Amino acid sequence: MLEDDGADRGIVGAFIGAHLERQFEFIKAEWLNDGNFIGHPGEKDPVARHHDGTGSATIPEKPVRRRLQNLPSFVVTRGGEYCFLPGLRALRWLAELED
């Protein structure tokens, strides 16, 4: 295991989709919160989800899969935001507005 060097690191993600509930909310609910990550019931996303040190994750390797046990938390969420962009019809309407 690597030692913590004390340097702050982070990542910012921008996820753009056409239907918030069917895309982002589905992944958040199914993979992160409900424990059905890639078809393995009871397992949560091994990287993005908070783990208390008792989680597991299956890596579907062939010919033999591998199960990781007692996963720590890798990610600390500091905030989140939903931003909405207008669709193509709204953009066309805005483009046709006169001053």
Side-chain angles (χ1 to χ4, degrees), residues 4-11 76 78:
D4 185 357
D5 63 4
D8 286 337
R9 292 179 176 81
I11 188 169
V76 176
R78 302 262 187 229

Side-chain angles (χ1 to χ4, degrees), residues 15-36:
F15 307 94
I16 299 174
H19 196 286
L20 186 66
E21 185 177 6
R22 285 193 322 235
Q23 293 167 326
F24 177 73
E25 289 291 335
F26 171 80
I27 290 172
K28 190 173 125 186
E30 290 296 315
W31 288 4
L32 298 180
N33 294 332
D34 290 342
N36 189 16

Side-chain angles (χ1 to χ4, degrees), residues 18-73:
H19 196 286
L20 186 66
E21 185 177 6
R22 285 193 322 235
Q23 293 167 326
F24 177 73
E25 289 291 335
F26 171 80
I27 290 172
K28 190 173 125 186
E30 290 296 315
W31 288 4
L32 298 180
N33 294 332
D34 290 342
N36 189 16
F37 181 66
I38 62 171
H40 293 279
E43 294 186 4
K44 299 176 181 180
D45 183 301
V47 175
R49 176 70 173 146
H50 173 74
H51 296 276
D52 60 3
T54 62
S56 65
T58 302
I59 300 172
E61 296 176 345
K62 291 185 179 182
V64 178
R65 69 180 181 195
R66 183 173 180 196
R67 175 163 277 168
L68 305 174
Q69 299 286 344
N70 304 321
L71 295 173
S73 290

